Amino acid sequence: MERFVLTVTCPTARGIVAAISTYLSGKGCNIVDSAQFDDLESGRF
């Protein structure tokens, strides 16, 4: 089984995690681990 690490950086917005997980699920991917961090000072996800 292949494994990939997806790193995302973008402005903070509601629904980012949902959009990414929905997209990956639709492509047949399985998320085995997830972590997220919002930087409140810079407004970056």
Side-chain angles (χ1 to χ4, degrees):
M1 170 175 48
E2 289 185 281
R3 292 180 177 251
F4 298 91
V5 175
L6 176 64
T7 303
V8 176
T9 183
C10 61
T12 297
R14 188 176 315 247
I16 295 169
V17 173
I20 293 170
S21 59
T22 299
Y23 174 82
L24 292 173
S25 176
K27 297 294 182 181
C29 298
N30 182 35
I31 299 170
V32 296
D33 191 19
S34 177
Q36 66 189 57
F37 176 75
D38 282 311
D39 185 337
L40 298 177
E41 288 184 21
S42 68
R44 302 291 292 174
F45 173 84

